[in-house]
Amino acid sequence: MSNINASVGRKIRSLRKAKNYTQDELGDLIDLEQSYLGRIERGEINITLGTLSRISDALQINPSQLLETNSDYSDKVKNDTMKKIDTLLYSLDNSELQIVHRLLKEALALRNT
């Protein structure tokens, strides 16, 4: 597995999850089998520029973003997601924020079970 394949695959997986797509859903959008998409995300195969373009279109990004070798890429995705969450939470009043906090804590606790 080459480093570029692994890097591109990780970025695709991260962006797919940020868009709340399953592999099946993204695969359906771009007419690609889920198992093939899984191999791409694991960096097991080379993909064509056409496939790279279809994936980036579905994820609403520039194809060059998938080829970036910047190690800060995952931080950028995380920061972008945090900004989206912050924007959603900003309009809530204190009681609504407390409810969201409790729900988030409970959801994250489920992750560890």
Side-chain angles (χ1 to χ4, degrees):
M1 161 172 54
S2 80
N3 288 340
I4 188 73
N5 290 345
S7 175
V8 169
R10 281 191 301 271
K11 290 174 189 174
I12 291 170
R13 176 178 286 135
S14 176
L15 289 162
R16 173 181 60 77
K17 289 183 174 186
K19 296 272 187 189
N20 292 318
Y21 289 141
T22 64
Q23 285 181 341
D24 281 329
E25 291 168 335
L26 180 57
D28 287 344
L29 284 174
I30 60 174
D31 194 30
L32 203 65
E33 291 290 325
Q34 176 273 328
S35 60
Y36 189 74
L37 184 56
R39 292 179 66 206
I40 291 171
E41 289 185 355
R42 290 187 300 276
E44 295 175 352
I45 57 175
N46 291 319
I47 62 173
T48 66
L49 292 175
T51 300
L52 186 80
S53 177
R54 290 183 2 234
I55 291 171
S56 64
D57 286 348
L59 296 173
Q60 299 174 327
I61 61 163
N62 189 314
S64 65
Q65 290 177 266
L66 294 174
L67 299 173
E68 290 175 350
T69 57
N70 185 350
S71 63
D72 294 332
Y73 176 79
S74 62
D75 288 340
K76 181 186 180 313
V77 172
K78 188 173 185 174
N79 288 337
D80 288 347
T81 303
M82 294 298 288
K83 286 178 187 174
K84 290 176 186 176
I85 292 169
D86 188 49
T87 300
L88 289 172
L89 297 177
Y90 187 75
S91 65
L92 301 180
D93 64 29
N94 287 338
S95 64
E96 292 170 322
L97 281 172
Q98 289 173 344
I99 291 169
V100 170
H101 178 257
R102 183 178 43 84
L103 291 171
L104 185 57
K105 272 180 70 174
E106 290 175 11
L108 292 174
L110 291 174
R111 177 181 69 168
N112 297 324
T113 59

